[in-house]
Amino acid sequence: MATKHGTIKKTSLASYSNPRNGGIIAISLDQNDSLIDAKLTDGNQEIILATRDGSAVRFNENNVRPTGRSSQGVRGIRLSKDDYAVGMVVAKNNETLLTVTENGYGKRTEVSEYRLISRGGSGVINILCSERNGKVASIASVANDDEIMLITMKGITIRTSVSQISVIGRNTQGVRLIKLEQDDKLVGI
C-alpha cells in the first residue's frame, strides 16, 4: 500500500482473510494522509513510487519489512515541501512506466532508467514539470500492446494504444496525449 505522504506498507494477504461485517482496518493513516494505491505482489518485486512534482523512486520491496494490518508503514519516498505521492506501480522490466500530466502530456520510460535504490530516498527526475505540461496526474506500468483511457476532470475520455506514445528518457517533458479545453485537467489513466 502507498499513501499520499509517501508512506508504504507491506502486509501478508492472509491478514485480511477474516473480514467482519463492518470491515477491518487495513492501514493507519496520519491526519490529512490518504491511501493512493494498493498492489498485490509476491514479496520480491520492485516498486516505483512517483510524486506530483515529477520525482520517482525505484526500490525492492524486500527493503520493506512486513507489518500487521493496523500499522502505518514506513517512508517510501522523501518528499519535498508541498509535494505528494500520486501513484505506485510494480516495476516490470518488459514494461514501461507511463507518466501523464494534468495538462494532457505524457511519456513512457524504460524501467531500467530508474536506478534501483533503497526505499526512503528522494528519487530521480521522472518527468520535467513545467507550465506547459503541469504537474503529474497519474502513472501506470504498461506493455506495448496495452490500451489506455485518458480521463479529464470534465469527464472527457479518450482511448488510445500505448504503442502510439513515445518511449523517451526520464529528464524530459513528454508529448501531447490529449488536447484539453482551457479550464479542464487530466485526472487519471
Side-chain angles (χ1 to χ4, degrees):
M1 294 178 214
T3 73
K4 187 175 180 178
H5 289 171
T7 300
I8 55 167
K9 178 185 167 193
K10 180 167 78 171
T11 304
S12 168
L13 196 57
S15 298
Y16 302 96
S17 63
N18 295 321
R20 298 181 187 100
N21 286 341
I24 55 177
I25 295 173
I27 187 171
S28 294
L29 297 170
D30 285 335
Q31 190 172 5
N32 300 323
D33 200 1
S34 58
L35 186 67
I36 59 165
D37 220 331
K39 301 286 185 200
L40 187 61
T41 69
D42 64 10
N44 297 305
Q45 312 241 224
E46 291 177 358
I47 305 295
I48 295 179
L49 192 58
T51 73
R52 180 162 170 79
D53 285 344
S55 294
V57 65
R58 176 180 159 213
F59 58 91
N60 194 301
E61 71 170 300
N62 287 326
N63 293 335
V64 182
R65 66 178 176 80
T67 58
R69 284 187 302 104
S70 61
S71 68
Q72 280 189 309
V74 294
R75 177 179 293 165
I77 188 169
R78 186 176 306 277
L79 299 170
S80 60
K81 187 178 181 204
D82 298 328
D83 197 7
Y84 57 88
V86 293
M88 172 182 71
V89 299
V90 176
K92 297 176 184 160
N93 286 325
N94 60 337
E95 295 186 352
T96 54
L97 180 69
L98 173 64
T99 304
V100 296
T101 62
E102 62 189 6
N103 291 346
Y105 289 81
K107 67 181 181 79
R108 293 190 302 150
T109 306
E110 297 287 342
V111 169
S112 60
E113 291 206 28
Y114 299 86
R115 75 175 184 271
L116 190 62
I117 64 170
S118 294
R119 66 161 182 85
S122 301
V124 295
I125 294 171
N126 176 26
I127 190 169
L128 292 176
C129 293
S130 65
E131 191 174 319
R132 177 192 82 139
N133 61 343
K135 302 288 186 177
V136 175
S138 188
I139 64 168
S141 183
V142 294
N144 225 21
D145 57 349
D146 286 342
E147 290 186 346
I148 59 165
M149 292 184 74
L150 302 166
I151 305 161
T152 73
M153 188 171 57
K154 289 187 171 182
I156 306 294
T157 20
I158 291 182
R159 181 175 140 191
T160 187
S161 173
V162 167
S163 62
Q164 294 180 348
I165 301 170
S166 302
V167 178
I168 53 181
R170 289 184 303 100
N171 201 4
T172 57
Q173 290 188 28
V175 296
R176 184 185 301 270
L177 301 178
I178 183 173
K179 189 169 175 99
L180 300 170
E181 293 177 15
Q182 189 166 354
D183 57 343
D184 202 3
K185 297 282 184 198
L186 187 66
V187 293
I189 49 176

mmCIF file of all heavy atoms in Angstrom, residues 47-93:
data_model
loop_
_atom_site.group_PDB
_atom_site.id
_atom_site.type_symbol
_atom_site.label_atom_id
_atom_site.label_comp_id
_atom_site.label_asym_id
_atom_site.label_seq_id
_atom_site.Cartn_x
_atom_site.Cartn_y
_atom_site.Cartn_z
ATOM 1 N N ILE A 47 9.315 -1.840 -6.825
ATOM 2 C CA ILE A 47 8.223 -0.878 -6.757
ATOM 3 C C ILE A 47 8.728 0.473 -7.251
ATOM 4 O O ILE A 47 9.855 0.852 -6.955
ATOM 5 C CB ILE A 47 7.716 -0.734 -5.301
ATOM 6 C CG1 ILE A 47 7.325 -2.079 -4.697
ATOM 7 C CG2 ILE A 47 6.602 0.301 -5.191
ATOM 8 C CD1 ILE A 47 6.152 -2.756 -5.353
ATOM 9 N N ILE A 48 7.894 1.191 -8.001
ATOM 10 C CA ILE A 48 8.181 2.581 -8.346
ATOM 11 C C ILE A 48 7.088 3.431 -7.730
ATOM 12 O O ILE A 48 5.897 3.171 -7.908
ATOM 13 C CB ILE A 48 8.240 2.816 -9.871
ATOM 14 C CG1 ILE A 48 9.412 2.046 -10.480
ATOM 15 C CG2 ILE A 48 8.364 4.313 -10.179
ATOM 16 C CD1 ILE A 48 9.540 2.183 -11.991
ATOM 17 N N LEU A 49 7.511 4.448 -6.977
ATOM 18 C CA LEU A 49 6.603 5.384 -6.320
ATOM 19 C C LEU A 49 6.886 6.755 -6.921
ATOM 20 O O LEU A 49 8.043 7.188 -6.954
ATOM 21 C CB LEU A 49 6.871 5.368 -4.815
ATOM 22 C CG LEU A 49 5.913 6.026 -3.862
ATOM 23 C CD1 LEU A 49 4.508 5.447 -3.986
ATOM 24 C CD2 LEU A 49 6.402 5.869 -2.439
ATOM 25 N N ALA A 50 5.862 7.440 -7.444
ATOM 26 C CA ALA A 50 6.045 8.722 -8.132
ATOM 27 C C ALA A 50 5.309 9.852 -7.418
ATOM 28 O O ALA A 50 4.294 9.620 -6.760
ATOM 29 C CB ALA A 50 5.542 8.619 -9.566
ATOM 30 N N THR A 51 5.849 11.075 -7.587
ATOM 31 C CA THR A 51 5.263 12.242 -6.933
ATOM 32 C C THR A 51 4.670 13.222 -7.931
ATOM 33 O O THR A 51 4.981 13.188 -9.122
ATOM 34 C CB THR A 51 6.310 13.002 -6.087
ATOM 35 O OG1 THR A 51 7.204 13.686 -6.970
ATOM 36 C CG2 THR A 51 7.069 12.078 -5.169
ATOM 37 N N ARG A 52 3.855 14.109 -7.430
ATOM 38 C CA ARG A 52 3.183 15.133 -8.247
ATOM 39 C C ARG A 52 4.176 16.099 -8.895
ATOM 40 O O ARG A 52 3.953 16.574 -9.994
ATOM 41 C CB ARG A 52 2.201 15.893 -7.360
ATOM 42 C CG ARG A 52 1.441 16.975 -8.103
ATOM 43 C CD ARG A 52 0.222 17.369 -7.310
ATOM 44 N NE ARG A 52 -0.411 18.546 -7.829
ATOM 45 C CZ ARG A 52 -1.208 18.578 -8.891
ATOM 46 N NH1 ARG A 52 -1.458 17.469 -9.554
ATOM 47 N NH2 ARG A 52 -1.762 19.696 -9.304
ATOM 48 N N ASP A 53 5.293 16.387 -8.226
ATOM 49 C CA ASP A 53 6.279 17.329 -8.765
ATOM 50 C C ASP A 53 7.264 16.686 -9.736
ATOM 51 O O ASP A 53 8.204 17.334 -10.186
ATOM 52 C CB ASP A 53 7.042 18.021 -7.638
ATOM 53 C CG ASP A 53 6.208 19.087 -6.934
ATOM 54 O OD1 ASP A 53 5.171 19.506 -7.494
ATOM 55 O OD2 ASP A 53 6.589 19.502 -5.824
ATOM 56 N N GLY A 54 7.085 15.400 -10.057
ATOM 57 C CA GLY A 54 7.883 14.783 -11.101
ATOM 58 C C GLY A 54 9.058 13.934 -10.662
ATOM 59 O O GLY A 54 9.927 13.630 -11.474
ATOM 60 N N SER A 55 9.107 13.512 -9.407
ATOM 61 C CA SER A 55 10.167 12.617 -8.934
ATOM 62 C C SER A 55 9.644 11.193 -8.851
ATOM 63 O O SER A 55 8.442 10.966 -8.755
ATOM 64 C CB SER A 55 10.660 13.030 -7.542
ATOM 65 O OG SER A 55 11.285 14.281 -7.598
ATOM 66 N N ALA A 56 10.567 10.233 -8.862
ATOM 67 C CA ALA A 56 10.183 8.828 -8.701
ATOM 68 C C ALA A 56 11.327 8.071 -8.055
ATOM 69 O O ALA A 56 12.500 8.387 -8.259
ATOM 70 C CB ALA A 56 9.840 8.200 -10.044
ATOM 71 N N VAL A 57 10.973 7.069 -7.266
ATOM 72 C CA VAL A 57 11.962 6.209 -6.629
ATOM 73 C C VAL A 57 11.627 4.761 -6.980
ATOM 74 O O VAL A 57 10.462 4.383 -7.017
ATOM 75 C CB VAL A 57 12.005 6.446 -5.096
ATOM 76 C CG1 VAL A 57 10.709 6.046 -4.431
ATOM 77 C CG2 VAL A 57 13.166 5.725 -4.450
ATOM 78 N N ARG A 58 12.669 3.974 -7.285
ATOM 79 C CA ARG A 58 12.509 2.540 -7.583
ATOM 80 C C ARG A 58 13.296 1.780 -6.521
ATOM 81 O O ARG A 58 14.479 2.034 -6.321
ATOM 82 C CB ARG A 58 13.044 2.235 -8.976
ATOM 83 C CG ARG A 58 13.006 0.768 -9.349
ATOM 84 C CD ARG A 58 13.553 0.584 -10.759
ATOM 85 N NE ARG A 58 13.990 -0.766 -10.963
ATOM 86 C CZ ARG A 58 15.006 -1.114 -11.743
ATOM 87 N NH1 ARG A 58 15.703 -0.196 -12.380
ATOM 88 N NH2 ARG A 58 15.343 -2.359 -11.875
ATOM 89 N N PHE A 59 12.620 0.855 -5.847
ATOM 90 C CA PHE A 59 13.273 0.078 -4.791
ATOM 91 C C PHE A 59 12.704 -1.331 -4.770
ATOM 92 O O PHE A 59 11.626 -1.594 -5.298
ATOM 93 C CB PHE A 59 13.094 0.750 -3.420
ATOM 94 C CG PHE A 59 11.668 0.950 -3.020
ATOM 95 C CD1 PHE A 59 10.986 -0.010 -2.295
ATOM 96 C CD2 PHE A 59 10.992 2.107 -3.379
ATOM 97 C CE1 PHE A 59 9.658 0.161 -1.943
ATOM 98 C CE2 PHE A 59 9.662 2.293 -3.028
ATOM 99 C CZ PHE A 59 9.000 1.322 -2.309
ATOM 100 N N ASN A 60 13.450 -2.231 -4.143
ATOM 101 C CA ASN A 60 12.999 -3.607 -3.996
ATOM 102 C C ASN A 60 12.123 -3.696 -2.760
ATOM 103 O O ASN A 60 12.471 -3.149 -1.713
ATOM 104 C CB ASN A 60 14.193 -4.549 -3.877
ATOM 105 C CG ASN A 60 13.793 -5.988 -4.057
ATOM 106 O OD1 ASN A 60 12.967 -6.515 -3.314
ATOM 107 N ND2 ASN A 60 14.363 -6.630 -5.054
ATOM 108 N N GLU A 61 11.001 -4.374 -2.878
ATOM 109 C CA GLU A 61 10.090 -4.439 -1.726
ATOM 110 C C GLU A 61 10.665 -5.251 -0.574
ATOM 111 O O GLU A 61 10.130 -5.214 0.535
ATOM 112 C CB GLU A 61 8.714 -4.946 -2.130
ATOM 113 C CG GLU A 61 8.636 -6.392 -2.483
ATOM 114 C CD GLU A 61 7.208 -6.868 -2.640
ATOM 115 O OE1 GLU A 61 6.419 -6.793 -1.671
ATOM 116 O OE2 GLU A 61 6.884 -7.321 -3.736
ATOM 117 N N ASN A 62 11.778 -5.956 -0.783
ATOM 118 C CA ASN A 62 12.454 -6.628 0.333
ATOM 119 C C ASN A 62 12.986 -5.621 1.352
ATOM 120 O O ASN A 62 13.278 -5.978 2.484
ATOM 121 C CB ASN A 62 13.609 -7.501 -0.174
ATOM 122 C CG ASN A 62 13.106 -8.744 -0.867
ATOM 123 O OD1 ASN A 62 12.085 -9.307 -0.499
ATOM 124 N ND2 ASN A 62 13.812 -9.159 -1.915
ATOM 125 N N ASN A 63 13.119 -4.330 0.944
ATOM 126 C CA ASN A 63 13.548 -3.268 1.858
ATOM 127 C C ASN A 63 12.440 -2.855 2.820
ATOM 128 O O ASN A 63 12.665 -2.034 3.696
ATOM 129 C CB ASN A 63 13.995 -2.030 1.073
ATOM 130 C CG ASN A 63 15.248 -2.272 0.277
ATOM 131 O OD1 ASN A 63 16.048 -3.136 0.613
ATOM 132 N ND2 ASN A 63 15.416 -1.522 -0.788
ATOM 133 N N VAL A 64 11.249 -3.378 2.625
ATOM 134 C CA VAL A 64 10.107 -3.048 3.475
ATOM 135 C C VAL A 64 9.726 -4.308 4.249
ATOM 136 O O VAL A 64 9.323 -5.303 3.651
ATOM 137 C CB VAL A 64 8.900 -2.581 2.627
ATOM 138 C CG1 VAL A 64 7.736 -2.183 3.527
ATOM 139 C CG2 VAL A 64 9.297 -1.454 1.700
ATOM 140 N N ARG A 65 9.857 -4.263 5.549
ATOM 141 C CA ARG A 65 9.501 -5.454 6.320
ATOM 142 C C ARG A 65 7.989 -5.548 6.460
ATOM 143 O O ARG A 65 7.301 -4.530 6.570
ATOM 144 C CB ARG A 65 10.190 -5.466 7.685
ATOM 145 C CG ARG A 65 9.753 -4.399 8.623
ATOM 146 C CD ARG A 65 10.472 -4.517 9.974
ATOM 147 N NE ARG A 65 10.105 -3.420 10.833
ATOM 148 C CZ ARG A 65 8.999 -3.346 11.535
ATOM 149 N NH1 ARG A 65 8.123 -4.319 11.489
ATOM 150 N NH2 ARG A 65 8.740 -2.306 12.302
ATOM 151 N N PRO A 66 7.456 -6.770 6.433
ATOM 152 C CA PRO A 66 6.008 -6.942 6.593
ATOM 153 C C PRO A 66 5.538 -6.496 7.977
ATOM 154 O O PRO A 66 6.242 -6.705 8.971
ATOM 155 C CB PRO A 66 5.807 -8.452 6.422
ATOM 156 C CG PRO A 66 7.050 -8.957 5.792
ATOM 157 C CD PRO A 66 8.145 -8.024 6.189
ATOM 158 N N THR A 67 4.370 -5.862 8.024
ATOM 159 C CA THR A 67 3.804 -5.402 9.290
ATOM 160 C C THR A 67 2.352 -5.850 9.398
ATOM 161 O O THR A 67 1.778 -6.353 8.443
ATOM 162 C CB THR A 67 3.858 -3.859 9.387
ATOM 163 O OG1 THR A 67 3.158 -3.309 8.284
ATOM 164 C CG2 THR A 67 5.291 -3.359 9.390
ATOM 165 N N GLY A 68 1.764 -5.626 10.544
ATOM 166 C CA GLY A 68 0.372 -6.000 10.772
ATOM 167 C C GLY A 68 -0.598 -5.059 10.078
ATOM 168 O O GLY A 68 -0.222 -4.012 9.567
ATOM 169 N N ARG A 69 -1.876 -5.432 10.096
ATOM 170 C CA ARG A 69 -2.901 -4.661 9.403
ATOM 171 C C ARG A 69 -3.020 -3.231 9.904
ATOM 172 O O ARG A 69 -3.204 -2.313 9.129
ATOM 173 C CB ARG A 69 -4.269 -5.332 9.544
ATOM 174 C CG ARG A 69 -4.473 -6.523 8.687
ATOM 175 C CD ARG A 69 -5.901 -7.036 8.736
ATOM 176 N NE ARG A 69 -6.355 -7.400 10.074
ATOM 177 C CZ ARG A 69 -7.175 -6.664 10.812
ATOM 178 N NH1 ARG A 69 -7.663 -5.543 10.369
ATOM 179 N NH2 ARG A 69 -7.533 -7.065 12.020
ATOM 180 N N SER A 70 -2.946 -3.010 11.187
ATOM 181 C CA SER A 70 -3.230 -1.683 11.733
ATOM 182 C C SER A 70 -2.004 -0.775 11.816
ATOM 183 O O SER A 70 -2.093 0.335 12.323
ATOM 184 C CB SER A 70 -3.867 -1.812 13.113
ATOM 185 O OG SER A 70 -2.980 -2.475 13.987
ATOM 186 N N SER A 71 -0.855 -1.196 11.293
ATOM 187 C CA SER A 71 0.340 -0.355 11.357
ATOM 188 C C SER A 71 0.294 0.737 10.288
ATOM 189 O O SER A 71 -0.515 0.695 9.364
ATOM 190 C CB SER A 71 1.596 -1.200 11.179
ATOM 191 O OG SER A 71 1.655 -1.706 9.868
ATOM 192 N N GLN A 72 1.189 1.725 10.426
ATOM 193 C CA GLN A 72 1.234 2.841 9.483
ATOM 194 C C GLN A 72 2.129 2.561 8.287
ATOM 195 O O GLN A 72 1.901 3.105 7.226
ATOM 196 C CB GLN A 72 1.759 4.098 10.171
ATOM 197 C CG GLN A 72 0.727 4.800 10.983
ATOM 198 C CD GLN A 72 1.249 6.133 11.453
ATOM 199 O OE1 GLN A 72 2.324 6.221 12.019
ATOM 200 N NE2 GLN A 72 0.470 7.172 11.240
ATOM 201 N N GLY A 73 3.166 1.798 8.449
ATOM 202 C CA GLY A 73 4.119 1.578 7.381
ATOM 203 C C GLY A 73 5.369 2.415 7.587
ATOM 204 O O GLY A 73 5.593 2.982 8.652
ATOM 205 N N VAL A 74 6.192 2.522 6.532
ATOM 206 C CA VAL A 74 7.471 3.223 6.596
ATOM 207 C C VAL A 74 7.587 4.186 5.418
ATOM 208 O O VAL A 74 6.813 4.121 4.472
ATOM 209 C CB VAL A 74 8.655 2.223 6.572
ATOM 210 C CG1 VAL A 74 8.672 1.374 7.839
ATOM 211 C CG2 VAL A 74 8.604 1.335 5.341
ATOM 212 N N ARG A 75 8.592 5.052 5.476
ATOM 213 C CA ARG A 75 8.793 6.022 4.399
ATOM 214 C C ARG A 75 9.194 5.306 3.113
ATOM 215 O O ARG A 75 10.154 4.548 3.082
ATOM 216 C CB ARG A 75 9.869 7.027 4.778
ATOM 217 C CG ARG A 75 10.153 8.019 3.645
ATOM 218 C CD ARG A 75 11.191 9.012 4.000
ATOM 219 N NE ARG A 75 10.638 9.859 5.055
ATOM 220 C CZ ARG A 75 11.376 10.663 5.803
ATOM 221 N NH1 ARG A 75 12.660 10.731 5.637
ATOM 222 N NH2 ARG A 75 10.802 11.393 6.739
ATOM 223 N N GLY A 76 8.470 5.580 2.052
ATOM 224 C CA GLY A 76 8.790 5.019 0.751
ATOM 225 C C GLY A 76 9.583 5.990 -0.099
ATOM 226 O O GLY A 76 10.470 5.607 -0.844
ATOM 227 N N ILE A 77 9.249 7.289 0.017
ATOM 228 C CA ILE A 77 9.946 8.341 -0.725
ATOM 229 C C ILE A 77 10.000 9.589 0.136
ATOM 230 O O ILE A 77 9.051 9.904 0.852
ATOM 231 C CB ILE A 77 9.264 8.630 -2.092
ATOM 232 C CG1 ILE A 77 10.105 9.573 -2.941
ATOM 233 C CG2 ILE A 77 7.847 9.128 -1.916
ATOM 234 C CD1 ILE A 77 9.646 9.689 -4.393
ATOM 235 N N ARG A 78 11.144 10.259 0.086
ATOM 236 C CA ARG A 78 11.309 11.518 0.812
ATOM 237 C C ARG A 78 10.728 12.626 -0.065
ATOM 238 O O ARG A 78 11.154 12.811 -1.202
ATOM 239 C CB ARG A 78 12.789 11.782 1.093
ATOM 240 C CG ARG A 78 13.037 12.992 1.956
ATOM 241 C CD ARG A 78 14.511 13.146 2.275
ATOM 242 N NE ARG A 78 15.089 11.938 2.862
ATOM 243 C CZ ARG A 78 15.026 11.589 4.152
ATOM 244 N NH1 ARG A 78 14.391 12.378 5.000
ATOM 245 N NH2 ARG A 78 15.583 10.487 4.587
ATOM 246 N N LEU A 79 9.752 13.345 0.462
ATOM 247 C CA LEU A 79 9.037 14.367 -0.309
ATOM 248 C C LEU A 79 9.569 15.756 -0.009
ATOM 249 O O LEU A 79 9.887 16.063 1.139
ATOM 250 C CB LEU A 79 7.541 14.318 0.011
ATOM 251 C CG LEU A 79 6.829 13.005 -0.308
ATOM 252 C CD1 LEU A 79 5.434 13.003 0.283
ATOM 253 C CD2 LEU A 79 6.792 12.771 -1.807
ATOM 254 N N SER A 80 9.635 16.593 -1.039
ATOM 255 C CA SER A 80 9.973 17.992 -0.816
ATOM 256 C C SER A 80 8.720 18.719 -0.342
ATOM 257 O O SER A 80 7.611 18.186 -0.407
ATOM 258 C CB SER A 80 10.539 18.622 -2.091
ATOM 259 O OG SER A 80 9.590 18.541 -3.133
ATOM 260 N N LYS A 81 8.894 19.962 0.085
ATOM 261 C CA LYS A 81 7.774 20.740 0.615
ATOM 262 C C LYS A 81 6.669 20.866 -0.435
ATOM 263 O O LYS A 81 6.932 21.105 -1.600
ATOM 264 C CB LYS A 81 8.272 22.128 1.025
ATOM 265 C CG LYS A 81 7.235 22.936 1.744
ATOM 266 C CD LYS A 81 7.772 24.278 2.164
ATOM 267 C CE LYS A 81 6.669 25.000 2.902
ATOM 268 N NZ LYS A 81 6.820 26.424 2.877
ATOM 269 N N ASP A 82 5.441 20.683 -0.039
ATOM 270 C CA ASP A 82 4.237 20.798 -0.875
ATOM 271 C C ASP A 82 4.110 19.718 -1.949
ATOM 272 O O ASP A 82 3.231 19.798 -2.799
ATOM 273 C CB ASP A 82 4.147 22.185 -1.538
ATOM 274 C CG ASP A 82 4.042 23.298 -0.519
ATOM 275 O OD1 ASP A 82 3.446 23.067 0.555
ATOM 276 O OD2 ASP A 82 4.564 24.396 -0.780
ATOM 277 N N ASP A 83 4.984 18.715 -1.961
ATOM 278 C CA ASP A 83 4.886 17.616 -2.918
ATOM 279 C C ASP A 83 4.141 16.462 -2.251
ATOM 280 O O ASP A 83 4.065 16.384 -1.024
ATOM 281 C CB ASP A 83 6.287 17.165 -3.351
ATOM 282 C CG ASP A 83 6.272 16.317 -4.622
ATOM 283 O OD1 ASP A 83 5.198 16.191 -5.249
ATOM 284 O OD2 ASP A 83 7.339 15.791 -4.974
ATOM 285 N N TYR A 84 3.579 15.568 -3.053
ATOM 286 C CA TYR A 84 2.947 14.381 -2.512
ATOM 287 C C TYR A 84 2.975 13.261 -3.542
ATOM 288 O O TYR A 84 3.134 13.501 -4.742
ATOM 289 C CB TYR A 84 1.522 14.654 -2.021
ATOM 290 C CG TYR A 84 0.572 15.216 -3.041
ATOM 291 C CD1 TYR A 84 -0.177 14.380 -3.883
ATOM 292 C CD2 TYR A 84 0.382 16.586 -3.169
ATOM 293 C CE1 TYR A 84 -1.064 14.891 -4.808
ATOM 294 C CE2 TYR A 84 -0.506 17.107 -4.094
ATOM 295 C CZ TYR A 84 -1.223 16.254 -4.909
ATOM 296 O OH TYR A 84 -2.098 16.767 -5.830
ATOM 297 N N ALA A 85 2.838 12.040 -3.071
ATOM 298 C CA ALA A 85 2.868 10.870 -3.944
ATOM 299 C C ALA A 85 1.554 10.775 -4.711
ATOM 300 O O ALA A 85 0.479 11.029 -4.169
ATOM 301 C CB ALA A 85 3.095 9.603 -3.131
ATOM 302 N N VAL A 86 1.635 10.387 -6.010
ATOM 303 C CA VAL A 86 0.440 10.269 -6.839
ATOM 304 C C VAL A 86 0.185 8.843 -7.316
ATOM 305 O O VAL A 86 -0.919 8.533 -7.753
ATOM 306 C CB VAL A 86 0.476 11.199 -8.074
ATOM 307 C CG1 VAL A 86 0.422 12.647 -7.657
ATOM 308 C CG2 VAL A 86 1.680 10.915 -8.943
ATOM 309 N N GLY A 87 1.195 7.987 -7.248
ATOM 310 C CA GLY A 87 0.977 6.632 -7.734
ATOM 311 C C GLY A 87 2.104 5.687 -7.409
ATOM 312 O O GLY A 87 3.228 6.100 -7.134
ATOM 313 N N MET A 88 1.758 4.398 -7.445
ATOM 314 C CA MET A 88 2.720 3.334 -7.201
ATOM 315 C C MET A 88 2.467 2.245 -8.233
ATOM 316 O O MET A 88 1.313 1.921 -8.523
ATOM 317 C CB MET A 88 2.526 2.768 -5.786
ATOM 318 C CG MET A 88 3.352 1.533 -5.494
ATOM 319 S SD MET A 88 3.073 0.853 -3.841
ATOM 320 C CE MET A 88 1.429 0.188 -3.986
ATOM 321 N N VAL A 89 3.540 1.692 -8.794
ATOM 322 C CA VAL A 89 3.413 0.579 -9.725
ATOM 323 C C VAL A 89 4.408 -0.512 -9.348
ATOM 324 O O VAL A 89 5.421 -0.250 -8.719
ATOM 325 C CB VAL A 89 3.645 0.987 -11.208
ATOM 326 C CG1 VAL A 89 2.630 2.004 -11.661
ATOM 327 C CG2 VAL A 89 5.051 1.472 -11.433
ATOM 328 N N VAL A 90 4.079 -1.739 -9.743
ATOM 329 C CA VAL A 90 5.020 -2.844 -9.637
ATOM 330 C C VAL A 90 5.836 -2.789 -10.920
ATOM 331 O O VAL A 90 5.297 -2.894 -12.023
ATOM 332 C CB VAL A 90 4.284 -4.198 -9.501
ATOM 333 C CG1 VAL A 90 5.275 -5.339 -9.496
ATOM 334 C CG2 VAL A 90 3.432 -4.207 -8.243
ATOM 335 N N ALA A 91 7.158 -2.560 -10.791
ATOM 336 C CA ALA A 91 8.029 -2.384 -11.947
ATOM 337 C C ALA A 91 8.338 -3.733 -12.587
ATOM 338 O O ALA A 91 8.731 -4.673 -11.903
ATOM 339 C CB ALA A 91 9.325 -1.702 -11.518
ATOM 340 N N LYS A 92 8.149 -3.789 -13.896
ATOM 341 C CA LYS A 92 8.469 -4.997 -14.656
ATOM 342 C C LYS A 92 9.386 -4.597 -15.799
ATOM 343 O O LYS A 92 9.100 -3.636 -16.516
ATOM 344 C CB LYS A 92 7.190 -5.641 -15.196
ATOM 345 C CG LYS A 92 6.271 -6.102 -14.089
ATOM 346 C CD LYS A 92 4.984 -6.648 -14.642
ATOM 347 C CE LYS A 92 4.060 -7.010 -13.480
ATOM 348 N NZ LYS A 92 2.686 -7.109 -13.884
ATOM 349 N N ASN A 93 10.490 -5.333 -15.978
ATOM 350 C CA ASN A 93 11.478 -4.961 -16.990
ATOM 351 C C ASN A 93 10.958 -5.060 -18.413
ATOM 352 O O ASN A 93 11.498 -4.430 -19.310
ATOM 353 C CB ASN A 93 12.746 -5.799 -16.827
ATOM 354 C CG ASN A 93 13.555 -5.341 -15.628
ATOM 355 O OD1 ASN A 93 13.592 -4.154 -15.318
ATOM 356 N ND2 ASN A 93 14.174 -6.271 -14.935
#
